[in-house]
Amino acid sequence: MAAGHLCLLALDGAVPAGYSVCMRVLDELHILNIVVAPDFQRRGVGGWLLDETISRAGDLAHGPVLLEVRVSNAVARHLYLSKGFVEIGIRKDYYPSDGRREDAVVMCKERQVAV
Ligand SMILES: CC(C)(COP(=O)(O)OP(=O)(O)OC[C@H]1O[C@@H](n2cnc3c(N)ncnc32)[C@H](O)[C@@H]1OP(=O)(O)O)[C@@H](O)C(=O)NCCC(=O)NCCS
């Protein structure tokens, strides 16, 4: 963990199965990317990475968890919805896409903080 960042690597033995990267922005946790290698997809690795990232980043930031995802990325949107994220907005033309631009959906998950 670098200051303000957390990167996780999921391994199957010595074989990389996926990774995640997140960073603190003020009191928010921003998930920058979650990627699972094609051979490991649909086996729970993405869900595991998401849960572990949020859990292990608990000391990094205590506020909501935010991320952006392509409007067309139905699989990732489904994964995030299944993990309690809600869609809170659109960033117009956020991603490059074959010489054009694609909108991002902004998703947010509130965390329970013990008081
Ligand atoms: C999105 C991604 C990380 C999901 O990883 P994964 O390991 O396949 O996901 P999981 O096996 O944990 O599945 C999580 C949910 O997504 C669903 N899902 C996964 N792949 C799916 C597919 N191809 N079609 C439909 N649903 C799918 C699963 O059914 C599961 O839902 P459920 O718990 O309701 O059954 C992976 O597809 C990926 O790396 N995609 C390319 C990179 C990417 O788009 N990253 C997200 C950037 S925001």
Side-chain angles (χ1 to χ4, degrees), residues 51-109:
D51 289 342
E52 282 296 307
T53 298
I54 294 171
S55 167
R56 291 177 188 237
D59 291 338
L60 205 59
H62 299 283
V65 185
L66 286 122
L67 57 82
E68 285 97 12
V69 56
R70 286 178 186 269
V71 166
S72 63
N73 194 342
V75 170
R77 288 172 70 178
H78 174 88
L79 169 62
Y80 301 138
L81 288 170
S82 77
K83 293 292 184 182
F85 282 78
V86 293
E87 299 184 345
I88 60 168
I90 295 285
R91 291 197 203 284
K92 201 81 188 136
D93 297 335
Y94 189 72
Y95 294 107
S97 180
D98 286 336
R100 301 163 64 169
R101 306 294 300 180
E102 179 174 355
D103 296 349
V105 180
V106 183
M107 302 187 73
C108 177
K109 179 176 180 167

Side-chain angles (χ1 to χ4, degrees), residues 34-36 41-47 68 73 75 78-80:
I34 292 189
V35 177
V36 174
Q41 289 180 7
R42 304 215 70 170
R43 291 160 59 178
V45 177
E68 285 97 12
N73 194 342
V75 170
H78 174 88
L79 169 62
Y80 301 138

